[in-house]
Amino acid sequence: MSRGSLVLATLLLGALNAYAASQTLDKIKSSGAVTMGVRESSIPMSYTTGDSRFDGYHVEVCRMILADIKDKLGLNTLRINYQPVTSQNRVPLVQNGTVDIECGTTTNNTARGKDVGFANTLYVEEVRIAVRSNSGINSISQLAGKRIATTTGTTSVQLLRKHEKANGVNFDEVFGKDHADSFLLLESGRADAFVMDGSILAGNIANSKNPKDYKIVGEVLATEPIAIMVPKNDPEFKAAVNTAIAKIVANGKMPALWDKWFLKPIPPKNIVVGLELSPATKNAWANLNDKPAEDYVKR
């Protein structure tokens, strides 16, 4: 191969690599649209407010990110298509390109990191247990012989089983297709406890007919980074998302977003989740990173 041919081949390879790295941005720019993966009952992170409308802490953050990307691409408008996802299909839908950015309640862990990418974390979750207030259950040890609800495709019950205080505690699992369905299992008496992210438990309790009938109890099962999912092999898109996140944080918008979604009345029923800002989440804002859950395990 001549020197000229070699240079040309190198330039072409570089162009191909650049295209591969920005495939999502190219698709968004050419179509003037983006598909956001959202959850239907992950209050207050990502949920439906009715009439095919979606809102929540992560949904609003993603809208802000996409507004920044719209400007980056020089678009006058950017249409957002909302695609409801479940715990089971969220990773595959990002992986196959159906969803461009997933704005729900997905834990960033090494297993999922083999298939998808994660933006920098803006919410650190504590996995807890919800029970009926009159159940008498206050700790993991009291779950022996009980029925534990969890949502299909989540990691919560595995975390419960691995907890040091769960040794010798045997229980039965019952599965809900989504978080609302899992809470209904608790609400209807078909489950004695619901194990899930604290924000989801608090949101479903606040949204129930009688919030005082339920409480969050027991030891913290795990501390996990909940992050926005992006395609794995698209570093330029991930960089654009993280650049937008850095701007949101630098502009001091995160505390107000927290107050709006966790401490004030939210649509459509004006419920108050009442979840205070944790030191772990505050630290994530101050030290932006995409570390997986395994890095949060106490050593």
Side-chain angles (χ1 to χ4, degrees):
M1 180 182 291
S2 68
R3 180 179 175 80
S5 298
L6 181 60
V7 170
L8 179 59
T10 301
L11 290 172
L12 287 172
L13 181 60
L16 288 172
N17 287 337
Y19 176 79
S22 61
Q23 189 172 358
T24 308
L25 290 174
D26 288 347
K27 181 173 71 171
I28 293 171
K29 185 170 185 177
S30 63
S31 65
V34 62
T35 300
M36 182 194 298
V38 289
R39 301 300 297 267
E40 294 187 302
S41 60
S42 294
I43 302 168
M45 296 288 285
S46 179
Y47 65 101
T48 180
T49 57
D51 298 326
S52 298
R53 296 179 180 177
F54 296 87
D55 222 330
Y57 174 82
H58 251 173
V59 174
E60 184 165 357
V61 168
C62 277
R63 289 194 190 113
M64 295 166 75
I65 290 169
L66 293 173
D68 190 78
I69 288 175
K70 173 181 73 70
D71 293 341
K72 171 185 172 69
L73 295 176
L75 296 172
N76 291 323
T77 59
L78 178 61
R79 185 176 73 256
I80 300 176
N81 299 318
Y82 296 93
Q83 173 63 54
V85 300
T86 67
S87 297
Q88 288 178 294
N89 68 19
R90 55 189 169 179
V91 170
L93 289 179
V94 172
Q95 203 174 4
N96 67 22
T98 300
V99 167
D100 300 310
I101 184 168
E102 192 265 350
C103 310
T105 53
T106 304
T107 298
N108 173 0
N109 60 30
T110 53
R112 289 174 178 148
K114 295 176 182 177
D115 299 317
V116 295
F118 287 94
N120 287 336
T121 301
L122 291 175
Y123 180 79
V124 180
E125 184 63 271
E126 291 182 339
V127 179
R128 301 289 300 278
I129 303 165
V131 297
R132 297 189 71 90
S133 299
N134 62 1
S135 67
I137 298 172
N138 292 293
S139 67
I140 293 174
S141 61
Q142 294 173 299
L143 296 177
K146 304 297 185 181
R147 292 162 298 178
I148 311 301
T150 190
T151 304
T152 302
T154 64
T155 61
S156 299
V157 168
Q158 293 96 306
L159 292 169
L160 173 59
R161 291 192 187 281
K162 290 177 181 178
H163 196 279
E164 58 184 5
K165 294 188 178 180
N167 289 335
V169 178
N170 296 311
F171 52 82
D172 295 322
E173 292 179 54
V174 289
F175 296 94
K177 67 180 185 300
D178 56 30
H179 300 316
D181 193 37
S182 296
F183 186 78
L184 181 61
L185 293 172
L186 174 64
E187 196 171 31
S188 64
R190 288 174 288 169
D192 301 296
F194 176 21
V195 179
M196 189 48 58
D197 299 348
S199 65
I200 293 171
L201 297 180
N204 277 276
I205 289 172
N207 197 43
S208 67
K209 294 178 182 178
N210 299 295
K212 291 182 180 180
D213 289 348
Y214 308 93
K215 61 182 181 179
I216 297 174
V217 301
E219 303 81 352
V220 174
L221 303 180
T223 301
E224 300 186 332
I226 307 299
I228 293 164
M229 266 198 296
V230 295
K232 181 173 178 61
N233 297 315
D234 199 336
E236 186 171 322
F237 182 62
K238 177 175 175 174
V241 170
N242 281 338
T243 296
I245 285 174
K247 289 180 183 177
I248 294 168
V249 172
N251 290 336
K253 295 182 179 179
M254 294 311 303
L257 281 172
W258 187 274
D259 287 350
K260 176 179 179 179
W261 291 106
F262 291 93
L263 299 175
K264 293 182 179 178
I266 59 174
K269 299 180 181 179
N270 290 323
I271 63 169
V272 177
V273 173
L275 200 64
E276 295 291 338
L277 176 62
S278 71
T281 294
K282 194 172 182 179
N283 183 62
W285 298 349
N287 302 280
L288 292 173
N289 67 84
D290 62 353
K291 294 178 182 177
E294 287 77 6
D295 283 14
Y296 284 70
V297 176
K298 292 180 180 179
R299 289 179 172 86

